[in-house]
Amino acid sequence: MIKRHFAKSALMAAIVFGTVSQASAQQVASTDPAAVKAGTYKVEPYHTQVGFTLSHLGFSNFSGFFTGASGSLTIDPAHLSATNLDVTVPVQSVDTTVPKLDGELKSAQWFDADRFPNATFKSTRIVRTSANTANITGDLTLHGVTRPITLKTRLVGSGTNPLDKMFTVGFEATGTIARSQFGVKQYVPLVGDTVTLTIAGAFELQQ
């Protein structure tokens, strides 16, 4: 009886706190594009990730990510076409949760991180596709090769971070590249050439 009561109480607490947490998050961050403050932002590296997924021999879709991004975003919601995004990501940060594989990916057969330590993206054009989405086209430089790509981007939210009091804006973006076009050809086509990118980007307004 006591165990049953405890389990019921725990379940109710989870529901209540889950609801409160969700409500609190909604109060902190606004999804209204008009709430985004115009200005220059810097990448908030601790909550920015570049995820990638590709086929492994056709048996599974394997994923990893890069962290430690730096860069800037200049944005004015009223003049979105003038947005400028410039981001750098260290290739050495690659993490698949498999240390041996991480070492291989940094080697000359793959990303060759010693020769090409950074991947960069610099926007060249942005087109609004809805109230809170846009397509950002830019130049991606990876493995010493620069090619244009387009990222489908959605505003996640903006507002003042209650922990550090910084005005923050966050986006999610997706896109695809053919890694062979950047000179990363190891095991193509056994290991997929098409790479899906999933990006979580957080930016802090600079005063």
Side-chain angles (χ1 to χ4, degrees):
M1 184 68 178
I2 294 177
K3 290 183 178 180
R4 185 182 303 171
H5 178 74
F6 178 80
K8 184 176 180 180
S9 298
L11 177 61
M12 289 301 296
I15 293 173
V16 170
F17 284 116
T19 303
V20 170
S21 297
Q22 183 178 8
S24 297
Q26 291 174 345
Q27 290 171 3
V28 170
S30 170
T31 59
D32 182 359
V36 177
K37 293 183 178 180
T40 298
Y41 293 72
K42 283 189 177 181
V43 172
E44 198 275 87
Y46 300 113
H47 298 95
T48 297
Q49 292 180 330
V50 178
F52 62 89
T53 302
L54 72 166
S55 171
H56 179 253
L57 305 176
F59 296 128
S60 64
N61 293 319
F62 194 76
S63 298
F65 55 87
F66 297 92
T67 57
S70 60
S72 63
L73 167 69
T74 301
I75 187 172
D76 180 355
H79 303 89
L80 195 61
S81 61
T83 295
N84 183 59
L85 176 64
D86 188 341
V87 176
T88 297
V89 180
V91 174
Q92 289 281 358
S93 70
V94 64
D95 187 350
T96 65
T97 72
V98 182
K100 182 179 179 180
L101 179 56
D102 295 343
E104 291 180 8
L105 291 177
K106 297 173 189 178
S107 73
Q109 286 71 39
W110 289 86
F111 293 123
D112 201 354
D114 287 339
R115 290 181 61 203
F116 309 108
N118 295 312
T120 63
F121 178 82
K122 297 182 179 182
S123 65
T124 56
R125 184 168 182 257
I126 181 168
V127 177
R128 189 189 299 273
T129 54
S130 75
N132 63 349
T133 63
N135 288 340
I136 301 177
T137 299
D139 293 326
L140 172 65
T141 300
L142 174 67
H143 197 248
V145 178
T146 301
R147 296 185 66 89
I149 69 167
T150 297
L151 299 174
K152 295 182 178 181
T153 308
R154 182 181 72 87
L155 170 68
V156 176
S158 68
T160 300
N161 185 324
L163 300 180
D164 61 14
K165 310 306 179 184
M166 297 289 288
F167 188 86
T168 303
V169 61
F171 301 89
E172 64 178 16
T174 59
T176 59
I177 63 171
R179 63 185 179 92
S180 63
Q181 293 182 351
F182 292 87
V184 185
K185 302 179 180 180
Q186 185 78 338
Y187 299 138
V188 171
L190 291 176
V191 176
D193 189 21
T194 300
V195 180
T196 299
L197 303 176
T198 305
I199 302 164
F203 300 84
E204 293 180 334
L205 181 63
Q206 302 303 292
Q207 301 300 327

